[in-house]
Amino acid sequence: MSDHRSGPVRSAAAREAILDATAALFDRVGYDHLTIEGIAREAGVGKQTIYRWWPSRGALVAECLVGRRLFPDFDVPDTGDLLADLDTWLDTVLGVIEAPSGGDLLRSLVAAAAEDPAVGGHLSEGLGIERSLAARLAAGVRAGQLPVDTPAPQLGEAILGAVIVQSLGRSDDHAALRRLVRFLLRSPTADA
Amino acid sequence: MSDHRSGPVRSAAAREAILDATAALFDRVGYDHLTIEGIAREAGVGKQTIYRWWPSRGALVAECLVGRRLFPDFDVPDTGDLLADLDTWLDTVLGVIEAPSGGDLLRSLVAAAAEDPAVGGHLSEGLGIERSLAARLAAGVRAGQLPVDTPAPQLGEAILGAVIVQSLGRSDDHAALRRLVRFLLRSPTADA
Amino acid sequence: MSDHRSGPVRSAAAREAILDATAALFDRVGYDHLTIEGIAREAGVGKQTIYRWWPSRGALVAECLVGRRLFPDFDVPDTGDLLADLDTWLDTVLGVIEAPSGGDLLRSLVAAAAEDPAVGGHLSEGLGIERSLAARLAAGVRAGQLPVDTPAPQLGEAILGAVIVQSLGRSDDHAALRRLVRFLLRSPTADA
Amino acid sequence: MSDHRSGPVRSAAAREAILDATAALFDRVGYDHLTIEGIAREAGVGKQTIYRWWPSRGALVAECLVGRRLFPDFDVPDTGDLLADLDTWLDTVLGVIEAPSGGDLLRSLVAAAAEDPAVGGHLSEGLGIERSLAARLAAGVRAGQLPVDTPAPQLGEAILGAVIVQSLGRSDDHAALRRLVRFLLRSPTADA
DNA sequence: TACTAACCGAGACGGTACGTCGCGTCTTCAC
DNA sequence: GTGAAGACGCGACGTACCGTCTCGGTTAGTA
C-alpha cells in the first residue's frame, strides 16, 4: 500500500533556484521591473515551472520574505537600556535603507505589499517587527520602562510606519526619527 | 525681458481632461492597471500630449494628489478635546479606506509613492497630514495637552504610518489604532 | 544528428492567416497603408507572431509573391504565332492593371520592390516573367521567329519594364505598347 | 481696380530652402524615411509653410525632379555611332546608380513615382528619357540606323524599364543590358 | 503713417503605427 | 510524466510623424 504518486516529485533544485533568482532580481531591479520571465531566465527554469507552484509574482516575493532571503535580520539588542537599544535598531535599519539602492529595497517591498496581499501579510513579520521590535518593547514594559498598558505591537508598527513614511518621502532625517522614538518612550512619570 | 517663446500655448482643456481622467481611473482601477493609454483614451487625448508634459505615470498621480483630486480632505476638527478630535479623524480616515475599494485606494497611493519620488514627496501633504493632523497636534501642544517638545510632524507621520502598515497587512483593527492613539497622547502628568 | 530544439513548433495556422491577410490587405489598401498592425488584426494574430518570423513588411509581401498569393498567373499561350501570343499576354496584363485599383496593385508591388530587396528579388519571378514570357520568347527563338542570339530574359524584362514605366506615368496607351512589341519582334529578314 | 491682395508675398528663400532640403534628404535617407517634419527641420522652416504650398511629399519630390535637383543630367552624345552613344549613356546611368547609395536613389525615385502621380508623371522627363534618349533614337531613325517606324519614345521607355527592373532586382548585370541594347538596335537588313 | 492681412517660425494637438516587452496559457520534446 | 524551452494572443510601452491648428512676430500693400 502506498499513496506515493508516480513520476518525479517537485524539484527542490528548481524551487531553490527560483527563490534565489527572485531575491537576487528583487535586489537588483526592484519590484516593478521584477518579471516572471526575468526570474525564469535567471533561474534557468521554464516559466511554467513558476506558474505551477506560485500564483503570482507577489507570492514569490512573500516566500522570499518569510524565508529571510530579502533582508538581513533587524534584531533589537537588549542591554537593559531601552532607548539605547532602539537607537541601535534604528541605526541598523536606517543604515540598510540608506545604502545605495537600500531605500529602493524597502520601497520595493512596500510596493509589493501594496499590490499583493501575500506580501502585505508578511511585511511586519519579514522585517522582524513583531519578533524583535515589539518583543523588545514588551520587555521594556515588563521592566517598568513603559506603562503596563503599552500596546507594544501597535507601537512597533507605528515606528516602522514612521520609517516607511519617511522613506516614501525620500527624506532622510535620522534626527527626527530619533526624536520621535524619544518622544514615544517618554517616561510618563519623569515629567511629573 | 522675455523668456516667452512664440507658438501655440499649452491647452488647459487637455490638462484638465488628463488630470480628471487620471483621478477617475486611479479610483476605478488602482495604480497598477493605471495605464497611460487608458488615461489618454478616457481623456480623449493623444498619448503624446501626456508624455509632452509629464515624465511618468507617477508624476500624473502626484499632480492629482497635490491638486486634491484623489482624496477627500481629511480635516481634523478642533473642539478642544484633542483625543476626541483624533478619534473623529481616525473614524473619517478608516471609514474611507474601508469603503469597498477604499483600502485599495490608499494602498494604490502607497504603491505609487514607492515607485515614484514625485508621488512620495507629496504623500503626507496630499493626505493632509501636515496641514491638518500635525497642525492639530501642534495646537494641542500650545494648549498644554502635549509636552512642549512634542515633535508634531513626526508624530503625525507615525500615526499615518501605523494606518498604512495596518492597511498593507490587510488588517482592520480599529480598536488597536485607537489604543495606539490613546497611548501616544497619554498625558505625562495625568499618570503622576 | 540533430539540430532540433525542443519546445513548441511554429503554428501553421498562424502563418497561413498572416499571409492571407497580407495578400488581402495588399489588394485592398496597397503597399503604403499596408501596416503590420492591420495585418495582425485581419489575421487575428498578435503582432509579435509576425515580427517573430518576418523581418519586415516587405518580407511578408515577398513571401506572398512567391507563393502566388498576389497576382493571377500571367501565362503566355503558345499557338505558334509569337506576335499574337504576346498580344494576348499584353491584353491579360493590361486588363488586370487597368481594372479599378489594378494599376495600384502593380504600382504597389513596384513600391514594395523598391523599398525591400526581398520583394525586388522576386518581382520578375512573381509576375511570371521568366517562367512564362521569357520562356515563350525562347520558344520563339527555337522556332526561328527570333534571332538565335536573342537575349530572351532581358527582352522579357524590357517589356515588363515598359509596362511598369507606363504604369508609373499613369498613362494608358495600349497601342503604344503593342507597337513596341511589334517593333521588338520585328523579323530581321521580313524587311529585307 | 485691383485684385492684388495685401501682405507679404511668398518667400523665395523659404521655397529654395525647402526644395534644397528635400533633395538633400532624399539623397541622404531615401524616399521612405523622407518626412515633412524632417524637411522642415532641415530647411529651418515651419511645417505649415510646406503644407501651404505643396499638397504632399510627392509633390515636393516631383518639383525637385523637374527642377533637376535630384539627378545629374543623363545626356546621350551624338557621335554618329548610335550603338556607341547608347553604350556611353548606359555607362553613365549605371555608373550613377551603382555608386554607393546611388541605386537607392533610383529605387527611391521609383518608389516615389509608384506612390505619387505627380512624381510618376515626371519620371521619364526627370531622367531625361524623352529629352535625351528618345531624341537620340529619333536621330538614329533619321540617319537610317533604325527603321522608319521605330517607336522611339516607347523604345526609350523600354530601355529605362529594363534598367529599372534590374535595379529593383538588385542585380547588376552590365553585360546583359548591353546585349539587350545591341539586340534592340539590331539592323533588320544586316542579317538579310 | 497707420492699418491690416498674409506669410513666417515654432510647435501643441488628436491620431495611427511603429517595434519591443512582458503577461499567462499552451504545446512539444528530452530526460 | 515533469520540466526546459518557447510560440501563441494580447495589451501596454515610449517614439516618430501625420495633417491641422494656433500662436507672436514680421512684412508688404493699401487707405
Side-chain angles (χ1 to χ4, degrees):
Chain A
M1 63 123 78
S2 154
D3 55 359
H4 296 333
R5 41 173 198 70
S6 72
V9 98
R10 176 174 183 180
S11 158
R15 183 175 174 279
E16 282 300 307
I18 289 165
L19 290 174
D20 285 350
T22 301
L25 284 173
F26 188 95
D27 243 63
R28 203 184 308 151
V29 304
Y31 184 67
D32 51 332
H33 305 138
L34 179 70
T35 67
I36 299 281
E37 298 208 338
I39 293 168
R41 210 179 306 128
E42 174 97 1
V45 134
K47 283 199 287 178
Q48 195 56 41
T49 305
I50 297 179
Y51 283 111
R52 204 185 327 269
W53 300 110
W54 289 275
S56 70
R57 190 169 65 129
L60 274 168
V61 172
E63 189 158 340
C64 287
L65 193 62
V66 305
R68 307 199 172 287
R69 289 175 137 97
L70 279 183
F71 279 89
D73 279 355
F74 295 131
D75 289 317
V76 192
D78 188 346
T79 64
D81 182 344
L82 179 58
L83 192 53
D85 289 349
L86 289 187
D87 278 347
T88 302
W89 177 84
L90 207 53
D91 284 343
T92 308
V93 171
L94 293 179
V96 166
I97 72 174
E98 275 167 16
S101 78
D104 294 336
L105 198 57
L106 178 60
R107 280 188 293 271
S108 268
L109 186 59
V110 169
E115 184 184 302
D116 196 297
V119 180
H122 295 290
L123 178 63
S124 289
E125 172 192 339
L127 292 170
I129 298 306
E130 288 143 7
R131 181 179 42 78
S132 294
L133 185 56
R136 181 66 188 83
L137 291 169
V141 172
R142 286 192 301 274
Q145 294 157 323
L146 283 171
V148 290
D149 61 343
T150 300
Q154 281 73 40
L155 189 53
E157 292 186 350
I159 293 174
L160 170 63
V163 172
I164 286 177
V165 168
Q166 203 174 85
S167 172
L168 291 180
R170 271 74 175 175
S171 113
D172 183 17
D173 190 344
H174 281 222
L177 286 174
R178 279 180 189 279
R179 244 178 298 132
L180 175 67
V181 168
R182 255 164 197 70
F183 174 79
L184 296 181
L185 303 188
R186 71 190 184 279
S187 168
T189 56
D191 297 350
Chain B
M1 57 42 175
S2 160
D3 53 0
H4 299 329
R5 47 163 209 73
S6 81
V9 97
R10 178 171 185 180
S11 157
R15 182 176 174 278
E16 282 301 307
I18 289 165
L19 291 174
D20 286 350
T22 301
L25 286 173
F26 189 96
D27 244 64
R28 203 185 308 154
V29 303
Y31 183 66
D32 50 334
H33 305 137
L34 179 69
T35 67
I36 299 283
E37 296 210 338
I39 294 169
R41 208 178 307 126
E42 175 97 2
V45 137
K47 277 200 285 181
Q48 198 56 49
T49 300
I50 298 179
Y51 284 111
R52 187 160 20 239
W53 301 108
W54 291 275
S56 68
R57 194 168 62 129
L60 273 168
V61 173
E63 190 157 339
C64 286
L65 196 60
V66 306
R68 308 197 172 289
R69 289 175 138 95
L70 279 184
F71 280 89
D73 279 356
F74 294 131
D75 289 316
V76 192
D78 188 346
T79 64
D81 183 342
L82 180 57
L83 193 51
D85 288 348
L86 289 188
D87 278 349
T88 302
W89 177 85
L90 207 53
D91 284 342
T92 308
V93 170
L94 294 178
V96 166
I97 73 176
E98 274 167 16
S101 79
D104 294 335
L105 198 58
L106 177 61
R107 281 190 292 272
S108 268
L109 187 59
V110 170
E115 184 184 303
D116 196 297
V119 180
H122 295 292
L123 178 62
S124 290
E125 174 191 339
L127 292 171
I129 298 306
E130 287 144 8
R131 183 177 41 80
S132 293
L133 184 56
R136 182 65 189 86
L137 292 170
V141 171
R142 283 192 301 275
Q145 296 156 323
L146 284 170
V148 290
D149 61 343
T150 300
Q154 281 74 41
L155 188 53
E157 293 186 349
I159 294 174
L160 170 63
V163 172
I164 287 177
V165 168
Q166 202 173 88
S167 172
L168 291 180
R170 270 75 173 174
S171 108
D172 184 19
D173 190 342
H174 281 223
L177 286 174
R178 280 177 187 280
R179 247 179 296 130
L180 174 67
V181 167
R182 255 165 195 68
F183 173 78
L184 295 181
L185 302 188
R186 71 192 184 277
S187 168
T189 55
D191 297 352
Chain C
M1 55 48 180
S2 160
D3 52 1
H4 298 330
R5 46 163 210 75
S6 80
V9 97
R10 178 171 185 179
S11 158
R15 182 176 174 278
E16 282 301 308
I18 288 165
L19 291 174
D20 286 350
T22 300
L25 285 173
F26 188 96
D27 244 64
R28 203 183 308 152
V29 303
Y31 184 66
D32 51 333
H33 306 136
L34 179 69
T35 67
I36 299 283
E37 297 209 338
I39 294 169
R41 208 178 307 126
E42 175 96 2
V45 137
K47 276 200 287 182
Q48 198 57 48
T49 302
I50 298 180
Y51 284 111
R52 188 162 16 242
W53 299 109
W54 290 275
S56 69
R57 193 170 62 129
L60 273 168
V61 172
E63 191 157 340
C64 286
L65 196 60
V66 307
R68 306 197 173 289
R69 290 175 137 96
L70 277 183
F71 280 90
D73 279 356
F74 294 132
D75 290 317
V76 192
D78 188 346
T79 63
D81 182 343
L82 180 57
L83 194 52
D85 288 348
L86 289 187
D87 277 348
T88 303
W89 177 83
L90 206 53
D91 284 343
T92 308
V93 171
L94 294 177
V96 166
I97 74 175
E98 274 166 16
S101 79
D104 295 336
L105 198 57
L106 178 59
R107 281 189 293 272
S108 268
L109 186 59
V110 170
E115 183 184 303
D116 197 297
V119 180
H122 296 291
L123 178 63
S124 290
E125 172 191 339
L127 292 171
I129 299 306
E130 289 143 8
R131 182 177 41 81
S132 294
L133 184 56
R136 182 63 188 84
L137 291 169
V141 172
R142 284 192 301 276
Q145 295 157 321
L146 284 170
V148 290
D149 61 343
T150 299
Q154 281 74 40
L155 189 53
E157 292 186 349
I159 294 173
L160 171 63
V163 172
I164 286 176
V165 168
Q166 201 173 89
S167 172
L168 291 179
R170 269 76 175 173
S171 107
D172 183 18
D173 191 343
H174 281 223
L177 286 174
R178 280 180 189 279
R179 247 179 295 132
L180 175 67
V181 168
R182 254 163 197 72
F183 173 79
L184 296 181
L185 303 189
R186 71 192 184 276
S187 168
T189 55
D191 297 351
Chain D
M1 64 129 74
S2 157
D3 54 1
H4 295 335
R5 32 165 211 75
S6 74
V9 99
R10 177 173 185 179
S11 158
R15 182 175 175 277
E16 282 301 307
I18 290 165
L19 291 174
D20 286 350
T22 302
L25 285 173
F26 189 96
D27 242 64
R28 203 184 308 152
V29 303
Y31 184 68
D32 51 331
H33 305 136
L34 179 69
T35 67
I36 298 281
E37 298 208 337
I39 293 169
R41 210 179 304 128
E42 175 96 1
V45 134
K47 282 199 286 179
Q48 194 57 34
T49 303
I50 298 179
Y51 283 111
R52 199 179 344 258
W53 301 109
W54 290 275
S56 70
R57 193 170 63 131
L60 274 168
V61 172
E63 189 158 339
C64 286
L65 193 61
V66 305
R68 308 198 172 288
R69 289 174 136 97
L70 280 184
F71 279 90
D73 280 355
F74 294 132
D75 289 317
V76 191
D78 187 346
T79 65
D81 182 342
L82 180 57
L83 194 52
D85 289 348
L86 289 187
D87 278 349
T88 302
W89 178 84
L90 207 51
D91 283 343
T92 307
V93 171
L94 295 178
V96 166
I97 73 175
E98 274 166 17
S101 78
D104 294 335
L105 200 56
L106 178 60
R107 281 189 292 272
S108 267
L109 187 59
V110 170
E115 183 183 303
D116 196 297
V119 180
H122 295 290
L123 178 62
S124 289
E125 173 192 338
L127 293 171
I129 298 306
E130 288 144 7
R131 183 178 41 80
S132 294
L133 185 56
R136 182 65 188 85
L137 291 169
V141 171
R142 284 192 302 274
Q145 295 157 323
L146 284 171
V148 290
D149 61 343
T150 301
Q154 282 73 40
L155 189 53
E157 292 186 351
I159 294 175
L160 172 62
V163 172
I164 286 177
V165 168
Q166 203 174 86
S167 172
L168 291 179
R170 271 74 174 174
S171 114
D172 183 17
D173 190 343
H174 281 222
L177 285 175
R178 279 177 188 280
R179 244 178 297 130
L180 174 67
V181 168
R182 254 165 197 67
F183 173 78
L184 296 181
L185 302 188
R186 72 191 183 278
S187 168
T189 56
D191 297 353

